[in-house]
Structure formats: C-alpha cells, structure tokens
Amino acid sequence: MTSTSFIQRAARQFRREVPTHLFAVGQCVKLKGGFARPALATDIYRITGTLPPRGDSLQYRIRNDDERHERVTTEDSLEPVDISQSGSDATLIERTFAHG
C-alpha cells in the first residue's frame, strides 16, 4: 500500500458533515423566551438568510415586518411559529396586496 492511498482513505474518514439549518429562508420564527403566550405580531420574525455556524450553533438573519433592520441570531434561540395559530395581523404582503 502506498502512502498516497493511506492519506486519501484517512481524509475520507475525517470529513466532517456540513450541518444543515433547521429553519428555511422565508419561514416564520420567534425568539425563545419566558412566557407561554401566543406570539404577537411584533414577536414574529421571518428568516431572511442562513449564515455559517458560530461555535456549535448555526446562525440566521431574521427580520420583523415592523422593523427597518435585520438581526442575527443562533438556531438554538429560535422556535418555529405557525402563522395560522399565532393570532397575528396579516403579513406585510397580505396587507399590501390584500386577498383579491
């Protein structure tokens, strides 16, 4: 056996799996927090982008329709939101274009 084939085999064994993001761009989320209450419109954020990991946690860019800026947060501080059960007002797109 040559040293080249040993190196190639060793490299295959040590390849790290690329972590996959739990949330998708466009998905609605809220920041994890204290109280078990329905999410308000101001608590709901939309994923606007995925970022590389910071330490052991993946990062996301998030934005609330009522704010002019985006935030960066880690995956472990987010939880999914079901828009139909959130009790929130219509989203920005719905408010802008109505329902036909």
Side-chain angles (χ1 to χ4, degrees):
M1 171 165 49
T2 64
S3 63
T4 306
S5 63
F6 174 75
I7 293 171
Q8 290 172 344
R9 192 166 26 117
R12 279 187 294 233
Q13 291 175 352
F14 292 112
R15 282 192 185 144
R16 297 180 83 186
E17 291 294 319
V18 176
T20 57
H21 287 82
L22 180 64
F23 303 106
V25 173
Q27 184 175 356
C28 292
V29 294
K30 69 177 184 172
L31 293 170
K32 287 183 181 176
F35 307 107
R37 60 175 173 77
L40 302 174
T42 56
D43 296 338
I44 297 175
Y45 297 87
R46 191 169 306 276
I47 303 287
T48 59
T50 56
L51 299 170
R54 180 175 187 165
D56 291 338
S57 188
L58 294 169
Q59 298 184 101
Y60 295 87
R61 291 173 60 185
I62 61 173
R63 184 167 191 264
N64 182 290
D65 288 340
D66 297 331
E67 296 176 342
R68 300 180 88 181
H69 60 277
E70 291 186 341
R71 301 167 186 253
V72 173
T73 188
T74 55
E75 187 170 271
D76 58 352
S77 64
L78 296 174
E79 56 188 36
V81 171
D82 182 5
I83 289 294
S84 64
Q85 296 177 358
S86 67
S88 68
D89 295 333
T91 63
L92 178 60
I93 292 173
E94 291 169 341
R95 290 192 311 256
T96 305
F97 299 108
H99 289 287

